[in-house]
Amino acid sequence: MEAYYDFKRIESKWQKIWEETKQYKTERDPQKPKYYCLEMFPYPSGRIHMGHVRNYSIGDVIARYKMMRGYNVLHPMGWDAFGMPAENAAIQHRVHPATWTRENIAYMKKQLKSMGISYDWDRELATCDLIYYKWQQWLFLKMYERGLVYRKKSFVNWCESCRTVLANEQAEGGVCWRCGTQVIQKELEQWFFKITDYAEELLAYCDKLTGWPERVLTMQRNWIGKSYGAQVKFPLADRPGFIEIFTTRPDTLYGATFMVLAPEHPLVRELIQGTPQEKPVMDFVDRILRQDKKVRTAEDVVKEGVFTGQYAINPLTQERIPIWVANFVLIEYGTGAIMSVPTHDQRDFEFAKKYGLPLRIVIQKPEGSLSEETMTEAYVGEGIMVNSGPFTGLPSTEGKEKITRYLEEKRIGKQATTYRLRDWGISRQRYWGNPIPMVHCKTCGIVPVPYEDLPVILPEEGVQFTGREGNPLDHVPEFVNTLCPRCKEPARRETDTMDTFVDSSWYYMRYTCPQYDKGPLDLEQVNYWLPVDQYIGGIEHAVLHLLYSRFFTKVLRDMGLLKVDEPFTRLLTQGMVLKDGAAMSKSKGNIVDPDEQINKYGADTARLFILFAAPPEKEIDWNDQAVEGAFRFLNRVWRMVYNHIDSIQQVKEGTIELHKLSGPSRELYRWTHKTIKKVTEDIEDRFHFNTAISAVMELVNVIYQFEVPQQEGEERDQALRVLREAMKAVILLLGPFTPHITEELWHELGYTTSLFKEPWPAYNEEALKEDQILIVVQVNGKVRSRITVPATASGDEIKKAALDDEKVKKFMEGKPAKNIVVVPGKLINIVT
């Protein structure tokens, strides 16, 4: 064995062996319990960052641990390969998106292999693979047949200068990322998935996801946003028609003194056409539509609006109330219109105060203290109804029900349940994505591409990337011009591509059968492996990706393609890796390059630091000194084996009989089994990898302090057997965290099979029973000493030992003990 820890040689050696022997290749095995461990697959941007290192290291610990616990572990990796950055690279660097993507995948795959992650690379997939996107198009058509796909007009970010649609990321600050032109909202035909059909099930099943963080479930519930209330029709005052609104507070209807429409609402143009208000309203609408929707709805944004010059009728008071257009109402929420009750809604209150609109209190506090003249903020609580016609005097909770019943009797409204969730717009006017398999025919309308003609192949030749004049696919006649599948007349192929969230909504299913070519999923494989037992990724995916994946699982279940109701049993959202207290970014100059760290210290050191720095769900701040510390520890482990390798090989392995052990050997044996128990529980129950590693570090310290008797005989042999078992435990327990060094040390000990084919060590319960226990001694509530007593010591014996302690005597200052409290096994408090 070499004296020097040569991490470069060791890591290269074992990565090569694992790859050549296909160590981590997994097949379905009904005889073993399965475990599906998955980290969210990366976008192939070019290089992995420290956030990736943390994500994949966490997953690798879990996967390797489960292997050693006897599970048949599926641990795959692939690439979320379609998307906007590749197209941007094509525009900026004149390289084809496919070339850019494939080169990045090759480089990042090399990086991942250098980390020693236990992936089954035979299951690798990329969402831009023809076989992958073919079956995604197949799923699209099946969803279309089931009424889950439709087309309608929707607003998009539009750059008039570049004549193209922009993603939200390309329109930050309301300007085009390429030319700086003000971005506007333009209405285009878009494709949608009807996720709202599953809103109730998606919400209800949140309660069944007991292995998910409550924070994520709360975010999902809020995004789905179930509300109970009433739908109410407000007739237009001077023309036929009505404005329909949804309210959760029908008890406040008598207080509605004006109405507000979203700038995008189709009724706006109808109301103002040919009136003096047409120009000021359209100027306002055009300005607001350039603003980011998140900004418009922020609590601290200034509420602003414009009067349309038109009126509606409050259906309960029969009053004419003005119709306004305002920035804080969005077409996506509710009906895109609201009744405004300024006395009982803070947003409406601020708006009414700004524009001098009337206030009317209709819910009075129990003490009757509210008045319109003195109000400084809206009253949003419950109370007694006032100024509410026949409902005056009712508690507002009762008024909600009675007013709703009245609306239904008069046929001017009805009880309703609504969801904040909106259907999923999947159209992207970009090239680098999965083509939507539909054809536009002047005679037949929209016609699906026949299944036998799939896939609709994304053309790679003759595509120009300028960033201008819209979707590059629109300018590829060989792609656009086709024949109608129904009437065989000339037709136009759909040029929108699918949102990349579609690609990532079912990839974890396809990992179970990546080469299957008779359908999207092999039922035998997918029903063996799903659900994913442990999913790991960033909190930024808490809503959209996870919600869409849940939706896809339910849709494919209903198609008969799989049996599970939910895709992910347990979810871990890991914290960010910071540097100097801030997120890493090129602009801040605080990037830590994983390649540099691996080259300087090795992958095992990088993994150890990132797993030891904090629990997985917490943020960590990169610390160069702590990385050095992790490297020094691995050198200590190496020397620990090197120092004792010759001695421990002199004795055969065998059963260690606890009752024959005494002194330091008994203590090391006990410490070894205590560590096995601690590490097992920290990984199994809590994923507290930092405390698990800390426990192994303590055991290494104990081993360094252990002295083997020099005199030949049974005592020396027992000590060497205990030492060998302790060092073997260190290697096995560290294995999932630092796989290269531990695999090497395992073979140095003389074992010929892989460490990761070994069973996880079991602990001896008898060894955990301590002969001596440490008792903390407090004097007047402050810790003043610690004493060691027999584990069987009585309360009186503990009291005597404490009072005889010299430190305790010093702090008692000769005063008598007034009261002594003993907490068995933990502490004693002496009150003088």
Side-chain angles (χ1 to χ4, degrees):
M1 180 180 177
E2 294 179 5
Y4 166 62
Y5 168 42
D6 184 356
F7 65 84
K8 289 186 178 179
R9 177 190 66 80
I10 292 166
E11 293 183 359
S12 174
K13 168 187 170 181
W14 285 107
Q15 286 162 19
K16 184 179 179 184
I17 291 172
W18 294 333
E19 185 168 358
E20 288 175 350
T21 60
K22 291 190 179 291
Q23 165 103 0
Y24 305 113
K25 183 175 175 60
T26 310
E27 300 288 355
R28 190 174 67 90
D29 183 355
Q31 304 305 312
K32 294 175 75 174
K34 71 91 183 177
Y35 194 88
Y36 187 173
C37 180
L38 183 64
E39 304 93 60
M40 294 178 186
F41 66 168
Y43 181 79
S45 57
R47 302 175 78 87
I48 64 171
H49 52 67
M50 292 314 299
H52 288 132
V53 173
R54 190 179 198 195
N55 188 2
Y56 307 142
S57 297
I58 290 167
D60 199 42
V61 171
I62 297 167
R64 290 179 183 277
Y65 169 75
K66 290 296 181 178
M67 290 174 199
M68 297 171 78
R69 293 307 299 252
Y71 286 85
N72 187 27
V73 175
L74 175 59
H75 191 207
M77 176 48 70
W79 312 95
D80 192 8
F82 277 137
M84 185 179 65
E87 204 158 329
N88 290 346
I91 296 166
Q92 293 169 343
H93 307 301
R94 300 191 180 280
V95 57
H96 195 282
T99 304
W100 186 83
T101 300
R102 294 293 177 193
E103 288 176 353
N104 287 350
I105 286 174
Y107 188 83
M108 291 175 72
K109 184 175 179 179
K110 181 183 173 186
Q111 286 185 296
L112 289 179
K113 286 185 174 181
S114 76
M115 286 176 58
I117 310 291
S118 60
Y119 293 133
D120 178 357
W121 284 106
D122 285 357
R123 293 177 183 267
E124 180 185 13
L125 60 80
T127 56
C128 64
D129 291 341
L130 199 64
I131 191 171
Y132 187 86
Y133 75 71
K134 168 188 174 177
W135 293 115
Q136 187 165 300
Q137 292 173 4
W138 187 95
L139 291 171
F140 178 97
L141 294 178
K142 287 294 180 187
M143 292 171 72
Y144 182 75
E145 289 174 8
R146 297 174 73 89
L148 292 171
V149 178
Y150 66 94
R151 201 164 180 253
K152 72 169 184 178
K153 284 191 172 183
S154 179
F155 284 91
V156 295
N157 298 315
W158 177 263
C159 175
E160 195 63 49
S161 173
C162 296
R163 306 289 302 164
T164 193
V165 174
L166 302 174
N168 288 335
E169 302 92 319
Q170 294 174 313
E172 288 186 4
V175 296
C176 173
W177 70 287
R178 181 170 174 78
C179 68
T181 300
Q182 193 78 40
V183 172
I184 63 169
Q185 294 290 300
K186 185 173 183 177
E187 210 170 17
L188 292 180
E189 291 283 350
Q190 307 273 289
W191 290 96
F192 287 83
F193 282 161
K194 211 169 183 186
I195 191 173
T196 51
D197 276 11
Y198 286 82
E200 185 56 42
E201 187 183 346
L202 288 166
L203 182 63
Y205 271 67
C206 284
D207 294 339
K208 299 185 179 184
L209 297 173
T210 55
W212 285 37
E214 190 56 41
R215 177 186 176 193
V216 174
L217 292 173
T218 298
M219 292 167 78
Q220 293 235 337
R221 290 186 183 107
N222 290 343
W223 189 264
I224 297 166
K226 188 175 184 179
S227 298
Y228 301 94
Q231 279 184 339
V232 189
K233 293 178 180 178
F234 283 67
L236 295 174
D238 303 312
R239 63 176 70 199
F242 56 85
I243 299 173
E244 187 168 50
I245 61 98
F246 171 81
T247 178
T248 58
R249 294 292 304 268
D251 53 320
T252 65
L253 260 163
Y254 280 88
T257 58
F258 61 100
M259 303 200 75
V260 180
L261 301 177
E264 306 93 330
H265 201 293
L267 190 58
V268 172
R269 285 164 178 77
E270 186 181 321
L271 290 175
I272 61 173
Q273 194 168 16
T275 72
Q277 287 297 98
E278 183 171 11
K279 186 177 186 312
V281 171
M282 286 313 301
D283 287 348
F284 175 81
V285 167
D286 289 343
R287 179 168 63 81
I288 298 301
L289 291 185
R290 293 191 188 102
Q291 296 177 0
D292 187 298
K293 290 180 181 178
K294 288 181 183 176
V295 173
R296 281 169 54 187
T297 55
E299 284 188 18
D300 58 348
V301 76
V302 175
K303 314 297 185 283
E304 55 178 328
V306 61
F307 178 40
T308 64
Q310 302 296 312
Y311 292 83
I313 302 295
N314 183 320
L316 294 191
T317 66
Q318 297 303 309
E319 293 172 317
R320 288 166 63 91
I321 58 176
I323 303 170
W324 284 66
V325 179
N327 61 340
F328 60 85
V329 181
L330 299 180
I331 192 68
E332 292 89 351
Y333 298 155
T335 63
I338 64 167
M339 68 170 198
S340 289
V341 184
T343 50
H344 305 296
D345 181 281
Q346 185 59 29
R347 184 183 53 183
D348 295 346
F349 180 82
E350 292 170 15
F351 192 83
K353 282 290 190 180
K354 179 173 182 177
Y355 291 103
L357 294 165
L359 309 180
R360 179 184 297 130
I361 292 169
V362 292
I363 306 293
Q364 184 58 262
K365 286 182 177 181
E367 65 272 20
S369 59
L370 292 177
S371 76
E372 289 88 349
E373 292 75 23
T374 59
M375 287 185 87
T376 56
E377 62 181 3
Y379 175 65
V380 297
E382 302 293 347
I384 304 299
M385 295 180 67
V386 295
N387 301 319
S388 298
F391 305 99
T392 296
L394 290 177
S396 55
T397 49
E398 186 180 335
K400 288 178 186 177
E401 297 176 17
K402 292 197 171 180
I403 286 183
T404 303
R405 204 174 307 134
Y406 177 81
L407 294 171
E408 290 178 330
E409 289 170 2
K410 299 295 182 182
R411 297 188 176 181
I412 52 176
K414 62 181 180 180
Q415 184 176 333
T417 301
T418 67
Y419 297 90
R420 181 176 179 268
L421 181 67
R422 287 291 172 264
D423 283 337
W424 174 9
I426 65 153
S427 280
R428 297 295 180 267
Q429 292 73 34
R430 294 199 292 274
Y431 163 78
W432 191 236
N434 190 348
I436 292 175
M438 304 298 270
V439 170
H440 300 269
C441 173
K442 289 182 180 178
T443 305
C444 305
I446 296 175
V447 182
V449 172
Y451 289 101
E452 60 269 22
D453 291 346
L454 297 180
V456 175
I457 298 175
L458 194 65
E460 294 199 13
E461 300 296 327
V463 186
Q464 298 297 315
F465 302 98
T466 63
R468 300 177 186 276
E469 299 303 323
N471 185 344
L473 285 175
D474 287 329
H475 308 289
V476 184
E478 297 85 356
F479 178 79
V480 174
N481 298 326
T482 187
L483 295 178
C484 172
R486 194 170 293 158
C487 71
K488 308 305 179 187
E489 292 296 315
R492 184 178 183 278
R493 195 180 294 285
E494 175 63 69
T495 58
D496 282 2
T497 54
M498 295 187 212
D499 178 11
T500 55
F501 274 118
V502 181
D503 308 340
S504 59
S505 291
W506 72 289
Y507 78 105
Y508 52 91
M509 304 177 194
R510 185 69 185 177
Y511 275 145
T512 68
C513 51
Q515 282 84 42
Y516 189 63
D517 63 358
K518 295 176 183 173
L521 298 172
D522 179 339
L523 270 65
E524 191 175 46
Q525 294 288 340
V526 77
N527 288 327
Y528 171 75
W529 286 112
L530 285 188
V532 174
D533 295 281
Q534 182 65 60
Y535 199 34
I536 305 154
I539 190 70
E540 66 271 18
H541 300 294
V543 176
L544 296 182
H545 163 59
L546 292 171
L547 191 67
Y548 295 155
S549 296
R550 295 181 62 213
F551 165 62
F552 251 70
T553 299
K554 295 173 190 303
V555 170
L556 270 61
R557 174 204 62 194
D558 292 349
M559 289 181 186
L561 294 176
L562 46 85
K563 292 180 179 177
V564 298
D565 296 316
E566 289 286 343
F568 315 118
T569 302
R570 293 181 69 178
L571 174 69
L572 173 66
T573 53
Q574 90 275 0
M576 291 178 66
V577 182
L578 310 177
K579 181 76 165 72
D580 304 324
M584 294 184 192
S585 70
K586 288 180 182 177
S587 62
K588 292 189 180 116
N590 65 346
I591 294 282
V592 177
D593 184 357
D595 284 355
E596 290 180 9
Q597 296 299 315
I598 290 171
N599 188 54
K600 185 175 181 181
Y601 297 109
D604 283 342
T605 293
R607 289 169 57 126
L608 185 68
F609 162 74
I610 219 155
L611 294 164
F612 179 56
E617 68 278 5
K618 303 291 186 185
E619 291 179 343
I620 63 173
D621 204 332
W622 187 266
N623 183 310
D624 292 329
Q625 287 73 36
V627 178
E628 289 269 9
F631 184 61
R632 285 196 302 271
F633 171 70
L634 292 183
N635 275 275
R636 279 195 96 211
V637 172
W638 183 268
R639 289 195 307 274
M640 174 191 76
V641 176
Y642 177 78
N643 291 341
H644 295 289
I645 188 77
D646 294 334
S647 300
I648 62 173
Q649 286 178 343
Q650 295 171 13
V651 294
K652 293 181 179 179
E653 278 192 273
T655 304
I656 297 173
E657 298 179 70
L658 179 61
H659 68 276
K660 291 184 179 179
L661 298 179
S662 61
S665 292
R666 187 181 181 91
E667 180 62 17
L668 176 57
Y669 183 80
R670 186 187 67 76
W671 202 285
T672 299
H673 287 266
K674 173 183 165 186
T675 305
I676 294 170
K677 182 175 190 290
K678 168 71 172 166
V679 173
T680 303
E681 290 175 349
D682 280 350
I683 297 177
E684 185 74 49
D685 301 333
R686 300 179 284 270
F687 295 159
H688 284 183
F689 303 142
N690 57 325
T691 54
I693 293 167
S694 178
V696 178
M697 290 176 169
E698 288 185 50
L699 177 57
V700 170
N701 288 338
V702 172
I703 291 171
Y704 264 89
Q705 293 164 11
F706 183 71
E707 294 182 6
V708 178
Q710 296 302 305
Q711 187 173 350
E712 298 290 338
E714 180 61 25
E715 185 182 358
R716 174 179 167 81
D717 289 349
Q718 282 279 29
L720 287 172
R721 272 194 284 271
V722 169
L723 177 61
R724 182 187 182 95
E725 180 172 297
M727 293 200 305
K728 182 179 169 184
V730 167
I731 294 167
L732 286 164
L733 297 176
L734 275 181
F737 303 96
T738 55
H740 306 91
I741 186 174
T742 51
E743 187 82 277
E744 180 75 4
L745 291 174
W746 184 250
H747 283 73
E748 290 289 355
L749 288 182
Y751 302 104
T752 55
T753 57
S754 171
L755 174 73
F756 302 103
K757 294 186 185 298
E758 289 292 314
W760 186 256
Y763 54 87
N764 181 349
E765 287 281 4
E766 282 299 311
L768 302 178
K769 296 176 181 176
E770 301 190 33
D771 300 326
Q772 301 279 314
I773 55 174
L774 189 69
I775 299 291
V776 172
V777 184
Q778 295 178 341
V779 177
N780 296 326
K782 292 185 179 180
V783 175
R784 296 304 190 187
S785 186
R786 290 172 174 82
I787 58 173
T788 302
V789 298
T792 56
S794 66
D796 287 340
E797 289 170 329
I798 293 171
K799 288 178 185 178
K800 184 176 186 306
L803 292 170
D804 288 343
D805 184 81
E806 290 302 320
K807 288 183 182 176
V808 172
K809 288 179 180 178
K810 173 186 171 185
F811 285 104
M812 288 181 68
E813 298 173 341
K815 299 173 185 175
K818 181 179 177 184
N819 189 26
I820 301 177
V821 178
V822 177
V823 179
K826 292 185 178 179
L827 65 82
I828 178 171
N829 184 31
I830 301 168
V831 181
T832 62

